[in-house]
């Protein structure tokens, strides 16, 4: 796999918990980059759920059915078993791409670990709750202060050390806070404070993600995203808010400009 040094920026979405909006976020990032004119490829490593792969398959079918021109990443889905298929598909998708977006399963997985070590940007979406926070850190039950990083934080720490030793590159680890509408304000504040404490200890950045919106789930069958507003009629206030949220998330990821990557390549 490559990095910005050879004109490819690898973005890996990884979280060993399900239900965090990981695949939906990965799709939106891939299409947002393609809409900016970047050459984008996407690889779904979750051969069971196949959410990213099916989302983009649905998008390709919508393009074919309607004749509309929509930004469309090249994509493939792993079989979950073959080392050769993994390596060959990575090589094929990386060819001529500015960005490679990789979606990993919501569980520990050999290929997810390989992908994580090759990331330039590693994105961990999390819901605003201590149930999800437990993946990366443990807190005191009374004070809610962070007591120690979790196994997953330690795993990413080791992954970043191995990457630095291998080629001197830095993995930018970003934790996306997906806002859950049913979580009370006091609890959200406690989670935010715990994340801030832990980020200083293990070295990740925290940035706002996407809310728990029905809109995102409704767009899946057609493979559409919040960027395709002209394709699904009038936009209500919820759509406008979701698009703004997506813009803020993209800004928070601080990904390189596609034109800058083209110059490097």
């Amino acid at each position: 796999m490559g990095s910005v040094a050879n004109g490819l920026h690898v973005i890996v979405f990884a979280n060993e918990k399900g239900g965090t909006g990981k695949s939906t976020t990965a799709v939106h990032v891939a299409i947002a980059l393609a809409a900016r004119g970047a050459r984008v490829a996407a690889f779904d490593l979750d051969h069971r759920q196949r959410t990213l792969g099916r989302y983009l398959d649905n998008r390709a079918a919508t393009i074919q059915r309607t004749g509309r021109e929509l930004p469309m990443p090249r994509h493939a889905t792993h079989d979950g078993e073959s080392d050769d298929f993994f390596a060959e598909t990575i090589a094929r998708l990386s060819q001529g791409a500015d960005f490679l977006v990789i979606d990993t399963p919501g569980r520990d997985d050999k290929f997810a670990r390989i992908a994580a070590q090759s990331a330039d940007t590693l994105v961990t979406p999390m819901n605003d709750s201590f149930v999800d926070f437990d993946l990366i850190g443990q807190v005191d039950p009374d004070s809610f202060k962070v007591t120690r990083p979790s196994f997953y934080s330690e795993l990413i720490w080791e992954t970043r050390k191995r990457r630095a030793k291998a080629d001197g590159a830095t993995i930018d680890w970003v934790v996306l806070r997906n806002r859950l509408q049913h979580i009370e304000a006091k609890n959200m504040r406690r989670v935010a404070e715990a994340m801030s404490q832990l980020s200083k200890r293990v070295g990740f950045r925290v940035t706002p993600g996407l809310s728990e919106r029905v809109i995102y789930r409704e767009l899946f069958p057609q493979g559409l995203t919040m960027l395709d507003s002209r394709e699904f009629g009038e936009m209500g206030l919820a759509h406008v808010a979701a698009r703004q949220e997506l813009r803020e998330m993209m800004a928070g990821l601080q990904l390189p400009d596609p034109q800058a990557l083209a110059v490097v390549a």
Side-chain angles (χ1 to χ4, degrees):
M1 284 195 198
S3 63
V4 181
N6 62 4
L8 176 71
H9 191 91
V10 179
I11 309 167
V12 177
F13 286 80
N15 185 329
E16 290 184 9
K17 270 187 173 332
T20 59
K22 179 169 55 61
S23 299
T24 301
T25 308
V27 167
H28 275 74
V29 168
I31 291 169
L33 289 168
R36 291 180 185 175
R39 298 167 298 178
V40 182
F43 193 17
D44 191 345
L45 298 188
D46 192 347
H47 68 290
R48 295 183 198 166
Q49 297 284 337
R50 290 198 68 241
T51 305
L52 179 137
R54 283 167 50 229
Y55 208 122
L56 293 175
D57 285 346
N58 292 346
R59 187 173 181 82
T62 293
I63 291 170
Q64 189 168 20
R65 187 177 65 253
T66 63
R68 300 287 182 92
E69 284 191 25
L70 301 175
M72 183 70 202
R74 292 184 293 132
H75 71 286
T77 299
H78 191 227
D79 62 5
E81 297 175 4
S82 168
D83 290 23
D84 289 344
F85 182 83
F86 177 82
E88 288 162 8
T89 305
I90 289 283
R92 176 171 58 81
L93 291 174
S94 301
Q95 193 71 33
D98 299 314
F99 294 93
L100 174 60
V101 175
I102 301 177
D103 188 25
T104 64
R107 59 183 181 275
D108 187 23
D109 175 86
K110 176 180 86 168
F111 297 104
R113 290 191 181 207
I114 297 169
Q117 190 169 329
S118 301
D120 297 299
T121 302
L122 180 67
V123 184
T124 300
M126 281 181 46
N127 295 324
D128 250 345
S129 75
F130 280 112
V131 173
D132 276 32
F133 183 83
D134 193 64
L135 174 81
I136 59 172
Q138 294 172 14
V139 296
D140 181 274
D142 296 317
S143 68
F144 297 99
K145 300 286 186 190
V146 175
T147 55
R148 61 183 297 275
S150 70
F151 171 77
Y152 189 72
S153 286
E154 290 167 355
L155 176 70
I156 300 302
W157 180 269
E158 289 301 319
T159 299
R160 294 166 94 185
K161 283 205 300 190
R162 283 196 300 272
R163 175 66 182 277
K165 191 174 180 181
D167 62 8
T170 303
I171 298 174
D172 182 21
W173 185 17
V174 184
V175 172
L176 286 185
R177 284 184 66 195
N178 289 332
R179 295 183 287 274
L180 292 179
Q181 291 162 357
H182 60 264
I183 298 293
E184 55 152 344
K186 186 197 290 184
N187 200 50
M188 285 178 68
R189 194 163 56 248
R190 285 172 173 164
V191 173
E193 287 166 1
M195 277 195 187
S196 178
Q197 284 178 43
L198 188 60
S199 69
K200 294 179 179 70
R201 285 175 66 171
V202 298
F204 56 77
R205 295 191 295 112
V206 183
T207 192
L210 305 177
S211 291
E212 185 185 45
R213 295 185 188 277
V214 176
I215 297 167
Y216 295 112
R217 294 191 287 275
E218 288 177 344
L219 295 174
F220 173 82
Q222 294 170 282
L224 296 177
T225 70
M226 294 314 305
L227 296 161
D228 305 309
S229 56
R230 281 172 296 209
E231 311 305 318
F232 50 90
E234 286 188 35
M235 287 178 66
L237 287 176
H239 292 82
V240 174
R243 285 193 69 176
Q244 180 59 29
E245 199 173 64
L246 178 59
R247 279 194 289 268
E248 289 172 7
M249 184 190 74
M250 290 300 295
L253 289 176
Q254 299 176 16
L255 299 171
D257 185 283
Q259 292 177 336
L261 286 175
V263 170
V264 173

